[in-house]
Amino acid sequence: MPARRDLANAIRILSMDAVQQANSGHPGMPMGMADIAEVLFNDHLKFNPANPAWPDRDRFLLSNGHGSMLQYAVLHLTGYDLSLDDIRNFRQFHSKTPGHPENFMTPGVETTTGPLGQGLGNAVGMALAEAVLGAQFNSGDSQIVDHHTYCFAGDGCLMEGISHEVCSLAGTLGLGKLVVFYDDNGISIDGETKGWFTDDTPARFEAYGWQVVRNVDGHDSAEINTAIETAKKETGKPTLICCKTVIGWGSPNKKGTAGVHGAALGDDEIKAARAELGWKDETRFAIPDNIYAGWDHREAGKAAEQAWRDIYDVFASADADKAAEFDRRLAGTLPADWAKVCGNLIEKMQADGKRTATRKASKAALAVLSASLPELFGGSADLSGSNGTDFDGYKPLAAGDYAGNYLQYGVREFGMTAITNGMSLHGGFTPFGATFLTFSDYARNAVRMAAIMQARNILVYTHDSIGLGEDGPTHQAVEHLASLRLIPNLHVWRPGDDVETAVAWQAAIERDSGPTALALSRQDMDHQERTADQVQAIARGGYVLRDADDDARALIIGTGSEVEMAMAAADKLSAEGVPTRVVSMPCLDLFLEQDANYQASVLPDAIKARVAVEAGSPDSWYRLVGLSGKVVGVNHFGLSAPAEEVYEAFGMTADAVAGAVREQL
């Protein structure tokens, strides 16, 4: 068996060479954390390179994702489907080794990281998912959910505010199977962090309720191993292992400096580093066979998975139905009666025809859907009652009692979204998190990451416009809908009544290729009558809600609370002899994904007079009304007054909409 240092040096060699070949990347962290990774992967991490999706594997997350070559090197060395050619193609077009880890690109990568601190949030979400799933399925000796979540994080991750949000909550929840390695090397891009980061980090985490293992030599395998053993023995608290490391360890002239953080070492320094490490072969990317043999985890991984499958077989024999439910949830498929449950809900809402706020319709829908969908796991950033996410049947969880289906996140919008991303990626859950639409700004980068990672995450945003009234401009969303619609792969729904809200929830839950945002109203709005065909058409994002008896001369597009305004404007115009079509557009993103024929059937070119109305920034709508069309919207911040007065003050009225049509006739 090769010496541990030689095994760790293989990470350093591959990292140096890959960054040098790409002339781009970050060699410092992989060289500094190589010894920690070697002990973790070879002695503790439970994984099977042949089956990266094995449900009870330990999860490993690289929050300091700029050090991606560390992860790629380890995945390659341990036997994942990541070849030496893939390593050589680091940071190249369509390679399996992109600049930062991407969960859908590389086998063995659990999450996409790069924006510092978010990997920590994802790790908390995965540890939470493990705890909740275990509470739901483990029984007696059948511990089919029993794994750890390990996360590497650097100084930058702990400087980011999200680290406070998620780590504080992890300590409160007592997530004992979460282990974070803090790479305390004192260096970031601008140089020595003592000029801007002098926190007592161990004391900070102890105050959060974490177990902290202090002053571990990150280059001493025995100390690292003891620290991990200590972490695994503590089951009631997450653990922070504070590792003192030297960035760029092994580089004789650049180690310990910012110069090794984010740039290739250069041929001369790589040659000197090889000599410093005692690595005799100067051939780029050359790893000796005995080093590969020392790292190879394929047989051990196969045995670890088989041991779990033996436990699972006993579990399945004792309760076949429960095992089938476990399999269904981990596969991400919906219950057999799902379509019927949704159909009955939508049919009932259409028949009842209530005037209501869409946040209240959402609450009613959640009560029905959650009863048939145990994987639906919700929460709110201290606004459960206002968001309407305290649905009938919600059960908040707490430390030591993880059997609930809801988490009170406290005022942590960014952390909540990163945590729900982690739950989604872990598997077994369809998570949602709620806040006011205007506070989606706090969470925006995690929303963007959800879209990049194609995570099935539902973002519930209530109080969606100036219609919330008295709280004023700080709380009234204006630019947020247009801004969210700019994020690729994010579906933004703004339903116009109770039925559209139920359809939006169904679409969000069924969508498995990315996140969905639901923008819901505080104020009541009219229920709209529809035919069965119109109800079906809601799921296409936009549809004809009311057509003109004669050939339409005008077309009004409404969304959310402005659908009823569009209908009232159409009444006025029709009374004046202007036949007007009304289109409800609850999800612009989804409508634009429809085929051209369907889009043309809803918005025919022959109707030239077009107006879109939405109580927010008008920018989203010009692509549908054209430069000659009109958009009735809000281009400035709101004001504090009752909702109807705010609408009147900003010209958001049926008269204004009708007037915008008349200007085009």
Side-chain angles (χ1 to χ4, degrees):
M1 180 71 179
R4 284 191 175 277
R5 178 56 50 76
D6 291 334
L7 293 172
N9 284 344
I11 298 174
R12 296 184 170 102
I13 294 299
L14 291 175
S15 298
M16 289 190 302
D17 288 349
V19 172
Q20 183 65 30
Q21 179 144 314
N23 195 28
S24 173
H26 300 76
M29 187 282 268
M31 297 174 73
M33 296 194 78
D35 297 298
I36 305 168
E38 187 278 319
V39 175
L40 176 62
F41 274 80
N42 282 325
D43 289 3
H44 295 279
L45 200 72
K46 182 174 66 172
F47 66 101
N48 182 4
N51 185 9
W54 164 32
D56 202 44
R57 68 195 181 278
D58 288 339
R59 269 61 170 181
F60 172 76
L61 297 88
L62 194 73
S63 188
N64 42 354
H66 56 272
S68 57
M69 262 313 304
L70 177 144
Q71 188 165 20
Y72 300 148
V74 170
L75 293 174
H76 167 68
L77 291 166
T78 53
Y80 282 86
D81 181 19
L82 198 68
S83 70
L84 197 58
D85 283 341
D86 292 322
I87 300 294
R88 289 191 181 99
N89 286 325
F90 177 57
R91 289 189 163 220
Q92 303 310 299
F93 187 58
H94 284 169
S95 78
K96 291 166 70 175
T97 51
H100 290 80
E102 297 182 24
N103 62 302
F104 53 86
M105 291 289 291
T106 313
V109 170
E110 301 284 358
T111 185
T112 298
T113 55
L116 295 177
Q118 285 206 56
L120 269 173
N122 298 163
V124 173
M126 290 189 183
L128 176 63
E130 191 275 344
V132 177
L133 204 64
Q136 293 173 350
F137 286 97
N138 289 342
S139 59
D141 294 332
S142 296
Q143 300 292 301
I144 61 167
V145 183
D146 184 15
H147 53 267
H148 283 77
T149 301
Y150 296 96
C151 180
F152 281 9
D155 294 298
C157 293
L158 299 190
M159 282 186 258
E160 289 284 1
I162 190 175
S163 70
H164 166 75
E165 294 186 28
V166 300
C167 294
S168 169
L169 186 57
T172 298
L173 294 176
L175 298 176
K177 291 181 181 176
L178 172 63
V179 180
V180 175
F181 297 83
Y182 167 34
D183 181 29
D184 183 11
N185 61 39
I187 296 292
S188 63
I189 292 175
D190 280 354
E192 296 185 29
T193 59
K194 63 184 180 183
W196 49 84
F197 185 52
T198 58
D199 302 15
D200 186 343
T201 297
R204 169 187 161 192
F205 275 77
E206 286 170 345
Y208 291 154
W210 287 52
Q211 172 182 234
V212 177
V213 183
R214 297 171 177 245
N215 297 316
V216 174
D217 183 344
H219 304 295
D220 185 318
S221 59
E223 285 194 27
I224 297 164
N225 185 68
T226 299
I228 298 173
E229 292 287 4
T230 301
K232 290 164 72 174
K233 289 175 184 175
E234 174 56 72
T235 59
K237 297 179 180 181
T239 297
L240 180 74
I241 300 176
C242 299
C243 299
K244 293 289 185 180
T245 66
V246 177
I247 190 171
W249 194 95
S251 170
N253 301 304
K254 295 187 177 182
K255 65 184 177 184
T257 72
V260 77
H261 171 87
L265 297 181
D267 290 333
D268 291 343
E269 186 64 12
I270 288 177
K271 183 176 181 179
R274 276 178 156 79
E276 180 94 353
L277 298 172
W279 197 270
K280 297 178 181 178
D281 194 336
E282 295 191 7
T283 306
R284 189 171 288 180
F285 300 106
I287 304 296
D289 289 343
N290 69 319
I291 298 294
Y292 272 120
W295 271 103
D296 191 346
H297 198 76
R298 285 172 289 190
E299 286 302 316
K302 180 180 178 181
E305 181 175 352
Q306 186 57 53
W308 175 80
R309 293 201 176 277
D310 291 342
I311 296 171
Y312 175 84
D313 288 344
V314 174
F315 163 75
S317 296
D319 194 334
D321 290 342
K322 196 173 184 180
E325 177 67 1
F326 179 81
D327 293 344
R328 180 192 69 78
R329 286 181 55 175
L330 268 295
T333 57
L334 292 165
D337 64 347
W338 172 250
K340 182 178 180 180
V341 169
C342 293
N344 289 343
L345 169 65
I346 294 165
E347 183 179 345
K348 185 176 187 302
M349 283 190 165
Q350 185 64 44
D352 290 348
K354 293 181 179 178
R355 175 176 169 81
T356 187
T358 51
R359 63 169 176 157
K360 295 178 182 177
S362 170
K363 182 174 181 176
L366 276 171
V368 174
L369 299 178
S370 65
S372 298
L373 199 71
E375 59 263 43
L376 195 61
F377 185 95
S380 170
D382 204 44
L383 289 168
S384 296
S386 295
N387 294 146
T389 49
D390 54 345
F391 55 91
D392 185 15
Y394 95 118
K395 180 184 177 184
L397 57 81
D401 179 9
Y402 303 113
N405 61 0
Y406 193 87
L407 180 58
Q408 291 158 324
Y409 283 95
V411 187
R412 298 181 174 99
E413 296 89 356
F414 192 4
M416 172 180 69
T417 309
I419 287 170
T420 49
N421 283 345
M423 294 191 75
S424 175
L425 294 170
H426 177 279
F429 294 94
T430 298
F432 70 86
T435 185
F436 288 173
L437 179 58
T438 191
F439 301 144
S440 65
D441 282 345
Y442 281 127
R444 186 178 178 87
N445 200 255
V447 175
R448 183 175 188 268
M449 293 301 291
I452 290 174
M453 295 188 292
Q454 303 173 18
R456 180 190 264 167
N457 193 354
I458 302 172
L459 317 164
V460 180
Y461 297 140
T462 69
H463 297 60
D464 68 343
S465 72
I466 59 172
L468 71 89
E470 290 85 349
D471 275 337
T474 60
H475 286 54
Q476 291 172 9
V478 173
E479 74 277 21
H480 299 79
L481 288 164
S483 177
L484 288 170
R485 288 180 183 129
L486 291 174
I487 298 177
N489 198 39
L490 173 65
H491 282 184
V492 180
W493 281 81
R494 189 169 183 247
D497 70 354
D498 48 357
V499 175
E500 288 188 358
T501 302
V503 174
W505 265 109
Q506 180 180 2
I509 290 168
E510 291 179 357
R511 187 170 190 241
D512 61 3
S513 58
T516 300
L518 307 180
L520 307 171
S521 74
R522 175 180 183 265
Q523 74 275 28
D524 291 344
M525 57 184 69
D526 288 342
H527 166 83
Q528 303 296 333
E529 292 301 322
R530 299 175 183 84
T531 66
D533 287 343
Q534 286 175 313
V535 171
Q536 290 293 316
I538 296 171
R540 304 189 77 167
Y543 64 101
V544 179
L545 178 61
R546 179 195 289 176
D547 215 351
D549 292 333
D550 302 313
D551 289 340
R553 294 178 56 203
L555 184 153
I556 302 173
I557 305 168
T559 180
S561 49
E562 287 69 67
V563 169
E564 64 181 47
M565 191 180 297
M567 295 288 275
D571 287 341
K572 292 177 182 291
L573 291 165
S574 297
E576 299 169 9
V578 181
T580 302
R581 170 180 287 196
V582 176
V583 172
S584 179
M585 190 73 67
C587 185
L588 176 59
D589 314 280
L590 187 54
F591 177 76
L592 293 173
E593 293 176 6
Q594 304 303 308
D595 62 81
N597 288 337
Y598 179 76
Q599 292 183 31
S601 73
V602 176
L603 304 174
D605 290 338
I607 305 178
K608 301 300 183 183
R610 297 187 181 200
V611 173
V613 54
E614 182 170 68
S617 171
D619 292 357
S620 302
W621 298 103
Y622 285 105
R623 74 185 92 177
L624 298 188
V625 301
L627 294 178
S628 60
K630 301 287 185 180
V631 180
V632 177
V634 178
N635 254 330
H636 40 76
F637 296 119
L639 55 84
S640 179
E644 59 274 14
E645 295 180 24
V646 179
Y647 268 82
E648 184 73 30
F650 290 156
M652 294 296 304
T653 65
D655 284 337
V657 175
V661 170
R662 294 187 197 104
E663 290 178 20
Q664 300 174 67
L665 295 174

